[in-house]
Amino acid sequence: MLTSNGYVLDERRLSELAAVPDLERTDLPVLRERLQRDGYLLLRGLLDPQDVLDFREYYFNLTGTATDRASYRQALFEQIVPGPEYAAFCARLKGWFEWFLGGEPFLHRRKIIRQTAPGENGIGTATQAHYDLLYLRGGSDQVLSAWIPLGDCPVSRGGLTYLERSHHRVLAEEAAGTLKRPAASITADLPALAEQYDANWLVTDYAAGDVVIHTAHTVHAALDNVSDVMRLSTDIRYQRAEDPIDTRWQAHWNDRDGL
């Protein structure tokens, strides 16, 4: 049984998140067409798994000694987020984005690390359904997000789930000006949203080294962590450097930055 924010996902509205086949991974036109069609690219083993596990260890070495919320926030926002180790880790995708975008890539400075403890559930504990353009109105709508599980992340650990081909409906309603959404999450009720969109939630077991690239219009959310292991992930955003850039996203991430 899978849940998100305490809502039980209907098994009839679940499908598998499909990985890009090996034969397509170096075919740029096919890869771009696939992203346009599906709204996401699941790239197994795009990063070296050891690099991912090393960063996970670095993170917990710094935060594991925190005895209270204040010391945890200090380690996260004053050491890890602005630190050279995190910058170097995120820069490992620069070459891929340069190839895929066909030009100089730009990495948004606001990069987010998400930690979810086992057993956390109820509204407000998992990332609610949204698409990234809700938060990135000040620049290009061609921003691509990379979601990176920092360690193995089976569905029981609370990985990302994507609403099947939802970007087509979002794009159409954005263009028509009929999409009435808050400037934040759409909803925590994933089962109801699947019915509204007449679409399935796509899920899979992620492994260290996997990366999911998704468009700014693709609806996604997180599952609850019902395992006994801490779920850790990061999401970062690249775009072409020559396109308009949302200036609000050019400071290091802080959970009180209002974005």
Side-chain angles (χ1 to χ4, degrees):
M1 184 177 68
L2 300 181
T3 66
S4 177
N5 287 289
Y7 289 95
V8 178
L9 276 66
D10 187 340
E11 291 186 358
R12 297 169 299 176
R13 287 292 190 187
L14 293 176
S15 295
E16 180 74 15
L17 191 75
V20 176
D22 289 342
L23 291 176
E24 294 184 12
R25 289 177 63 136
T26 57
D27 191 327
L28 186 55
V30 170
L31 210 57
R32 286 174 172 169
E33 182 180 355
R34 187 183 185 93
L35 180 64
Q36 185 177 32
R37 181 192 72 205
D38 295 343
Y40 72 90
L41 299 171
L42 170 54
L43 299 163
R44 300 284 190 191
L46 183 61
L47 294 172
D48 184 332
Q50 191 58 55
D51 290 342
V52 175
L53 296 176
D54 286 347
F55 184 79
R56 181 183 177 90
E57 182 179 13
Y58 157 76
Y59 172 92
F60 283 115
N61 281 342
L62 288 181
T63 62
T65 58
T67 57
D68 52 35
R69 182 66 178 172
S71 56
Y72 168 76
R73 294 187 76 260
Q74 182 179 28
L76 179 59
F77 296 119
E78 296 182 21
Q79 293 179 264
I80 297 173
V81 169
E85 293 84 358
Y86 188 34
F89 180 78
C90 296
R92 294 183 185 280
L93 287 177
K94 181 179 179 181
W96 187 90
F97 275 101
E98 183 174 17
W99 170 74
F100 186 81
L101 295 172
E104 180 65 24
F106 176 83
L107 172 62
H108 287 254
R109 199 174 194 186
R110 187 177 190 267
K111 308 180 296 293
I112 302 171
I113 299 177
R114 304 183 191 275
Q115 173 183 310
T116 307
E120 291 186 20
N121 58 51
I123 294 176
T125 56
T127 302
Q128 299 184 21
H130 68 284
Y131 59 96
D132 290 349
L133 195 62
L134 287 172
Y135 304 93
L136 286 158
R137 292 289 187 189
S140 170
D141 66 356
Q142 297 302 303
V143 176
L144 294 179
S145 297
W147 182 77
I148 307 168
L150 297 173
D152 293 343
C153 189
V155 290
S156 62
R157 204 165 293 172
L160 275 202
T161 178
Y162 290 85
L163 190 56
E164 188 175 27
R165 301 199 177 184
S166 53
H167 61 301
H168 294 297
R169 175 166 171 167
V170 170
L171 278 164
E173 294 185 349
E174 283 266 354
T178 59
L179 191 60
K180 296 180 180 179
R181 300 292 188 203
S185 301
I186 299 173
T187 182
D189 189 346
L190 270 57
L193 193 63
E195 293 301 323
Q196 180 183 336
Y197 274 63
D198 189 22
N200 292 348
W201 285 103
L202 307 177
V203 299
T204 194
D205 293 325
Y206 302 101
D210 293 349
V211 177
V212 189
I213 312 295
H214 62 258
T215 76
H217 300 90
T218 304
V219 177
H220 55 286
L223 301 174
D224 292 331
N225 184 355
V226 296
S227 74
D228 56 0
V229 177
M230 191 73 73
R231 182 266 220 186
L232 191 68
S233 67
T234 184
D235 43 287
I236 65 178
R237 287 154 187 87
Y238 275 92
Q239 66 172 77
R240 286 179 63 100
E242 64 187 35
D243 291 343
I245 294 170
D246 193 328
T247 57
R248 301 170 304 150
W249 280 64
Q250 306 322 310
H252 288 302
W253 167 59
N254 186 288
D255 62 351
R256 297 173 183 171
D257 62 15
L259 296 174

